[in-house]
Amino acid sequence: MTKIKSLADLKKMKSDLQSKISLREKSENPEGKVVIRVGMGTSGIASGAKEIMEFLMEETEKRNVDAIVTQTGDMGYSYAEPTVEVKLPDQDPVVFGDVDKKKADNIIEKYIKNGELLDGIIPQNYETIDKK
Amino acid sequence: MLVCGGTGCHASAGELLFENLKKEVQENDLKDEVQVVATGCFGFCEKGPIVKIIPDNTFYVQVKPEDAKELVSEHAIKGRKVKRLLYTDPVKKEQIQDSKHMGFYKKQLRIALRNCGMIDPENIDEYLAADGYEAMGRVLLEMKPEDAIQEVLDAGLRGRGGGGFPTGLKWQIASKNHADQKYVVCNADEGDPGAFMDRSILEGDPHTVLEAMVINGFCINATKGLIYIRAEYPLAIKRLKIAIDQAREYGLLGKDILGSGFDFDVEIRYGAGAFVCGEETALIHSMEGERCEPTFKPPFPAQSGYLGKPTNVNNVETYANIPVIFNKGAKWFASIGTEKSKGTKVFALAGKINNVGLIEVPMGITLREVIFEIGGGIQGGKKFKAVQTGGPSGGCLTDEHLDTPIDFDNLLAVGSMMGSGGMIVMDEDDCMVAVSQFYLEFTVEESCGKCSPCRIGNKRLYELLGKITKGQGTEDDLDNLRNLSDVIKDSSLCGLGQTSPNPVLSTLDNFYEEYLAHVNEQKCFAGQCKELIRYEIIPENCVGCTVCARNCPVNCISGERKQVHTIDQSLCIKCNACMEKCKFNAVTII
Ligand SMILES: Cc1cc2nc3c(=O)[nH]c(=O)nc-3n(C[C@H](O)[C@H](O)[C@H](O)COP(=O)(O)O)c2cc1C
C-alpha cells in the first residue's frame, strides 16, 4: 500500500474508491452483481453469522450466482440475528432476519434467482444522514 | 404485499389477514404476479396490522382480515389505492400515500452508527469511500486548532459516556494546559450491563474512532492516543488492530499525517472488565499499571491525567459523532435534538420489549415513541410497567414519564439519567423491589472498596432490600433505605457511589405502594419474590394427570392418578416447574 500524502490525494482516492464500490452496488452496473452483506458483530457471530457467511460464499459460487458476499457490523436488529442484507441490482436493499442455512438457501434460490420475497424480512426503520 | 408478522400485529388478527390475502391472491389467479409475505415487525404496532405494498410503498394501517378482498381487487388488480386504509398523518391530518413520507420512518436517525451495517469494517477502502478521514484531512490542513474546537462547541456535542459534559469545552480546557506531552484517551470500557453500543461501533466502524482521535489530538496538541478497551471484547479489539494497521500503512496515523506536519499514533490498552474502570480517573490508573481505583477530582484528567500529563478522555460514541460534525457542519448537527442536548443518542433496547436491539434516535424523542413504535411494544401483549434508563446509575420511570422528551437534563429532572444508553423495559411481571435489589447486587460487586460510603453503604442497602423481598421488612426500613441512599450519594468519592442508590430512590418514588405491600402485607404483586408467594393447586381444574408431581424436582407434590393433587408447602422451592408443565391451568400463585 502506498501512503496518502496530501488532502488532494485523499480526495482523489475517495472518488476512485467510491466509483469502484458504487459500481458494484449501483443499478447501472452492467454485470448486475448482487451484494450480500452479513451482519458480523458479536451478537451476529454468537448466533451463527459466520457459518451463514461461509455457506453463502460457497453456495453462491457453486450455484453460479454472481454475488459479492461481504461482512459488515451490527445492524441493530438483535432480536433477529443472524441478519443478512441483500441488494439486487436496481432495487432497494432487503434485510432478512433469523437466517439459518435453510433460509440462506431460500435467499439464493428464491430471492436472488427469482426476485421472490421471503417471510421474515425486516422492514428498515431508520434514516441515514445522507438523505437529510 | 408485505404483511407485518410481528407479535403486536399477530395479536390484532394479522395472521388471519395474512391467510385471507393469500387466499384472495390465489382465487384471483394472481399467484405469479403478487406475492404475499409475512415480515418482521414494522415497529408501528399501535396502528397494526400493517400491510405495505411494494414497489409503490403504499402503507395501509389497521387492516382487518375482511379487508383482504378489497385490497386485492382494488389495489392489486385495478391499481387503485384503498383510501380508507391509508395512514393519516396525526399532525397534518392528511393521508400519506407512501411510506417514504411517513414521520415514523424518521424516528431513527443514524449518525454515530452511520456506517455500522453499511461498510466492511476490516477494509479501510470502504471507510474512505464513505467520506472517511476527510474531516481529519480538512481539520489538519485547513483549520487552526481553536477553530476546530469552536466547531465542536458550536455543534453542542455532549459526552455520550454518561456524564454529558460538553465535548468542545473539554477539548478547550485540555488545549490550554501546556505540557511537553499530552494524551488523548478513548474510553471503550463500556461497563454498564446491557449496553453494547460502543462495542458495536468499534466492531462496525473502527476507523471513525481513530479519525476522531487524530482530530482531538490536533486540537489539544497531543501526539499520542490510547484506547482503553475491556479484554472481553475480542472482536472489537481484532478489528481495531486491523484498522490501526491499515491507517498506518496509508499514513493516516503516524508521522506527518497528510503532509500536515502533525504526528499522531494510537495504542490499545486492555482492561479486565470492571465497572469502575470506566470512571476516567480509575481508567487512567489502570493504564498506568496501578489498581483501578478512582481519585478525587480536581485535579481533572485535563490538568493531570495519564502519567501526570494533561489527558483528554472521551467515550467511543462521542468520538463517532466527531467526523460527521466536520463533514456536515456544526450548524447541521445543532439542528438535531433539543435545546441543550444536540444530535442523537444510541440506546440498547432490552427487557420485555419486542424489538430488542440497538437504535439511534434524535434527542428529544419520547420514551413512548422509543418503546411502542421503534421497540414494537411489550412482549406477549402484556402491560408496560417501567423503563430503566442509565443502568446501575439510573432510575426506573413509569407510564407517567412516557411522554417526556429524552435528553440529558429531562432524564435527570425525573430522577434517572441518560447514562451510557441502556434501556431496559419491564412489564407487570417485574417486581420493582427485586429490580432495585438486582442493581444493588451489581454495585456491591463492582464497588472498588476505596471509600466507605460506597463499600459499606451499598452493601447495607442490598441487605435491607433483601429483607424486604423476604417479607421481613418494616416501614422503618423504607425510611432507612432513603436516608442511607442520600448519605451514600452525598459522601461517595466517585460517580459510582454518587449514583448507585438511584435505582432504589427512583423505585421508592415511583412504586412506593409496591414497597408498602412487601412490608405491610408481605405481598409481592408481581409474584417474583419467592418468599412471599405460594404455589397452590386449584382443585376444580386439576384432573390428576400427575405431570406436576413427576416434574417436581423435590417431590413435594402428592396425589393419586385422577385425584386432585396437593403441594407440600414446607418442601416447595418455588421453582415454577409445576406451573410450566400443567396443561390445565390448575397451578396458581397466591
Ligand atoms: C462508575 C463509572 C463508570 C463509568 N463507565 C464508563 C464507561 O464504561 N464508558 C465511558 O465512556 N464512560 C464511563 N464513565 C464516564 C467517564 O468517567 C467519563 O466521564 C467519560 O468517559 C468521558 O467521556 P465523554 O465526555 O465523551 O462521555 C463512567 C463513570 C463512572 C462514575
Side-chain angles (χ1 to χ4, degrees):
Chain A
M1 261 189 251
T2 47
K3 286 212 185 320
I4 308 173
K5 297 220 176 61
S6 67
L7 187 54
D9 275 4
L10 181 75
K11 285 187 173 155
K12 167 146 195 324
M13 195 150 164
K14 170 182 148 186
S15 66
D16 289 351
L17 288 165
Q18 264 176 342
S19 54
K20 210 167 99 194
I21 286 170
S22 65
L23 185 74
R24 76 171 197 221
E25 288 175 10
K26 281 254 170 65
S27 40
E28 297 89 61
N29 178 9
E31 296 156 276
K33 280 206 178 175
V34 178
V35 181
I36 304 175
R37 290 199 180 101
V38 184
M40 296 268 265
T42 291
S43 35
I45 291 174
S47 23
K50 252 195 181 129
E51 290 77 35
I52 296 304
M53 176 139 174
E54 275 162 25
F55 179 84
L56 285 167
M57 288 209 267
E58 280 167 22
E59 294 301 313
T60 44
E61 177 141 357
K62 260 195 230 156
R63 303 182 200 181
N64 262 331
V65 175
D66 200 6
I68 299 165
V69 184
T70 76
Q71 61 171 341
T72 186
D74 196 319
M75 302 185 212
Y77 310 109
S78 309
Y79 61 97
E81 295 286 0
T83 45
V84 172
E85 184 193 271
V86 183
K87 170 138 191 10
L88 298 184
D90 245 341
Q91 283 189 33
D92 285 339
V94 173
V95 180
F96 297 89
D98 297 309
V99 181
D100 52 13
K101 284 198 182 155
K102 194 165 149 243
K103 201 151 183 184
D105 181 72
N106 276 334
I107 290 176
I108 300 176
E109 289 305 315
K110 295 207 172 134
Y111 184 61
I112 297 179
K113 288 195 179 164
N114 293 335
E116 241 178 89
L117 284 168
L118 304 174
D119 285 351
I121 61 177
I122 300 178
Q124 188 197 33
N125 63 352
Y126 59 85
E127 253 200 327
T128 48
I129 43 180
D130 293 325
K131 290 191 195 140
K132 271 238 139 181
Chain B
M1 295 185 160
L2 308 181
V3 186
C4 181
T7 357
C9 288
H10 246 206
S12 43
E15 208 169 358
L16 188 57
L17 169 67
F18 178 68
E19 293 305 327
N20 285 359
L21 280 170
K22 274 195 143 162
K23 220 163 54 205
E24 285 297 328
V25 167
Q26 192 113 30
E27 281 171 12
N28 286 294
D29 231 0
L30 289 171
K31 241 182 13 171
D32 296 332
E33 287 82 23
V34 180
Q35 199 191 348
V36 184
V37 178
T39 71
C41 181
F42 277 89
F44 205 50
C45 313
E46 254 184 323
K47 291 257 179 281
I50 307 291
V51 176
K52 182 175 166 182
I53 315 275
I54 47 176
D56 59 21
N57 287 318
T58 311
F59 202 83
Y60 291 120
V61 294
Q62 290 172 325
V63 185
K64 299 198 180 53
E66 52 275 22
D67 295 329
K69 204 178 180 77
E70 193 175 342
L71 279 185
V72 172
S73 64
E74 281 294 303
H75 198 124
I77 299 178
K78 302 196 190 115
R80 291 197 291 241
K81 295 191 181 188
V82 182
K83 290 243 165 60
R84 65 182 177 90
L85 295 174
L86 286 174
Y87 174 66
T88 309
D89 186 303
V91 184
K92 289 196 209 124
K93 304 271 178 256
E94 49 189 53
Q95 285 187 329
I96 310 285
Q97 298 289 331
D98 81 75
S99 65
K100 297 256 149 96
H101 293 103
M102 284 171 64
F104 163 69
Y105 276 91
K106 304 201 173 83
K107 291 257 146 86
Q108 281 204 65
L109 172 65
R110 299 205 165 174
I111 297 178
L113 299 178
R114 66 195 177 282
N115 290 328
C116 289
M118 304 295 289
I119 64 170
D120 180 351
E122 295 183 10
N123 183 351
I124 189 173
D125 287 351
E126 295 209 0
Y127 183 66
L128 290 177
D131 302 335
Y133 290 104
E134 206 178 305
M136 178 192 87
R138 266 190 290 117
V139 171
L140 260 48
L141 293 156
E142 294 169 1
M143 289 176 97
K144 287 209 278 293
E146 12 345 333
D147 300 334
I149 292 174
Q150 192 60 45
E151 190 80 5
V152 179
L153 273 171
D154 291 345
L157 176 66
R158 293 172 65 172
R160 304 295 194 240
F165 191 81
T167 306
L169 193 57
K170 190 182 271 188
W171 292 15
Q172 198 166 50
I173 297 168
S175 74
K176 290 195 173 134
N177 291 321
H178 298 287
D180 52 343
Q181 179 67 57
K182 296 190 200 176
Y183 295 94
V184 164
V185 173
C186 171
N187 187 344
D189 188 60
E190 194 160 62
D192 175 354
F196 57 101
M197 55 286 291
D198 294 348
R199 189 188 76 201
S200 296
I201 290 170
L202 292 169
E203 287 175 0
D205 193 16
H207 285 286
T208 191
V209 174
L210 301 180
E211 179 178 4
M213 287 177 77
V214 181
I215 295 175
N216 189 178
F218 176 76
C219 286
I220 69 165
N221 194 22
T223 55
K224 285 206 177 120
L226 298 160
I227 300 175
Y228 185 84
I229 185 168
R230 48 176 55 216
E232 284 129 321
Y233 280 0
L235 184 63
I237 292 171
K238 177 184 150 211
R239 297 220 168 122
L240 261 177
K241 281 186 175 160
I242 295 173
I244 292 173
D245 286 345
Q246 291 178 341
R248 280 185 189 145
E249 276 190 51
Y250 274 167
L252 299 169
L253 283 177
K255 296 235 171 289
D256 190 19
I257 297 171
L258 296 177
S260 63
F262 178 67
D263 307 337
F264 193 85
D265 211 343
V266 173
E267 273 177 45
I268 303 179
R269 293 296 161 85
Y270 307 104
F275 183 52
V276 75
C277 286
E279 196 282 333
E280 51 191 10
T281 61
L283 180 150
I284 287 168
H285 298 311
S286 170
M287 292 199 305
E288 291 167 340
E290 304 283 323
R291 277 181 78 123
C292 74
E293 284 176 346
T295 39
F296 191 74
K297 294 189 278 193
F300 290 94
Q303 302 160 305
S304 168
Y306 184 60
L307 304 177
K309 305 290 182 189
T311 302
N312 184 94
V313 183
N314 273 128
N315 163 264
V316 172
E317 187 188 334
T318 312
Y319 278 132
N321 282 286
I322 295 287
V324 183
I325 289 176
F326 287 97
N327 283 335
K328 306 215 71 155
K331 222 169 158 184
W332 174 84
F333 191 85
S335 71
I336 302 159
T338 62
E339 194 193 335
K340 293 205 174 116
S341 302
K342 299 301 187 189
T344 57
K345 179 77 193 85
V346 183
F347 288 100
L349 274 184
K352 309 280 179 63
I353 195 161
N354 280 316
N355 302 343
V356 169
L358 213 55
I359 61 161
E360 181 169 353
V361 288
M363 300 271 191
I365 193 171
T366 64
L367 285 164
R368 186 185 303 282
E369 290 169 297
V370 167
I371 296 167
F372 290 94
E373 296 184 16
I374 299 170
I378 311 297
Q379 283 173 8
K382 296 227 170 165
K383 222 177 119 206
F384 167 82
K385 181 166 182 180
V387 53
Q388 212 280 350
T389 69
S393 317
C396 286
L397 304 176
T398 66
D399 28 12
E400 229 181 283
H401 306 109
L402 280 178
D403 294 310
T404 308
I406 305 174
D407 71 8
F408 288 106
D409 310 295
N410 282 343
L411 286 180
L412 270 181
V414 294
S416 185
M417 64 185 262
M418 185 80 85
S420 55
M423 199 179 268
I424 300 175
V425 177
M426 297 160 201
D427 70 6
E428 51 200 297
D429 297 336
D430 288 305
C431 164
M432 303 317 285
V433 186
V435 166
S436 47
Q437 197 193 10
F438 164 81
Y439 282 106
L440 259 295
E441 185 182 356
F442 177 84
T443 313
V444 168
E445 208 147 273
E446 297 292 335
S447 169
C448 75
K450 184 172 179 180
C451 72
S452 339
C454 179
R455 180 184 69 242
I456 304 173
N458 282 315
K459 178 88 178 157
R460 289 291 100 84
L461 274 185
Y462 175 71
E463 288 166 358
L464 276 173
L465 289 166
K467 211 173 139 192
I468 297 169
T469 54
K470 290 193 181 71
Q472 296 159 0
T474 61
E475 279 197 43
D476 279 348
D477 288 330
L478 302 187
D479 293 337
N480 289 339
L481 270 182
R482 191 179 286 278
N483 291 337
L484 182 52
S485 293
D486 289 337
V487 171
I488 298 171
K489 279 181 78 131
D490 289 343
S491 55
S492 289
L493 171 63
C494 83
L496 198 154
Q498 286 159 12
T499 57
S500 61
N502 284 348
V504 181
L505 287 171
S506 69
T507 47
L508 275 173
D509 284 343
N510 294 325
F511 298 94
Y512 195 64
E513 328 75 62
E514 218 169 307
Y515 278 90
L516 278 180
H518 280 74
V519 299
N520 290 338
E521 304 165 49
Q522 278 74 45
K523 278 222 156 71
C524 173
F525 294 124
Q528 226 187 8
C529 296
K530 287 198 172 157
E531 265 87 356
L532 305 186
I533 56 166
R534 197 162 52 148
Y535 286 80
E536 290 279 6
I537 288 175
I538 308 171
E540 299 82 61
N541 291 3
C542 179
V543 299
C545 70
T546 74
V547 163
C548 58
R550 278 184 281 125
N551 281 288
C552 176
V554 292
N555 293 322
C556 75
I557 306 181
S558 54
E560 295 294 317
R561 262 194 97 74
K562 303 206 174 148
Q563 302 286 316
V564 172
H565 283 49
T566 48
I567 301 176
D568 181 347
Q569 298 298 336
S570 64
L571 295 176
C572 174
I573 55 166
K574 293 159 190 168
C575 68
N576 205 43
C578 51
M579 188 142 164
E580 261 169 40
K581 295 286 176 195
C582 179
K583 291 199 179 68
F584 305 94
N585 288 327
V587 184
T588 179
I589 294 177
I590 293 175

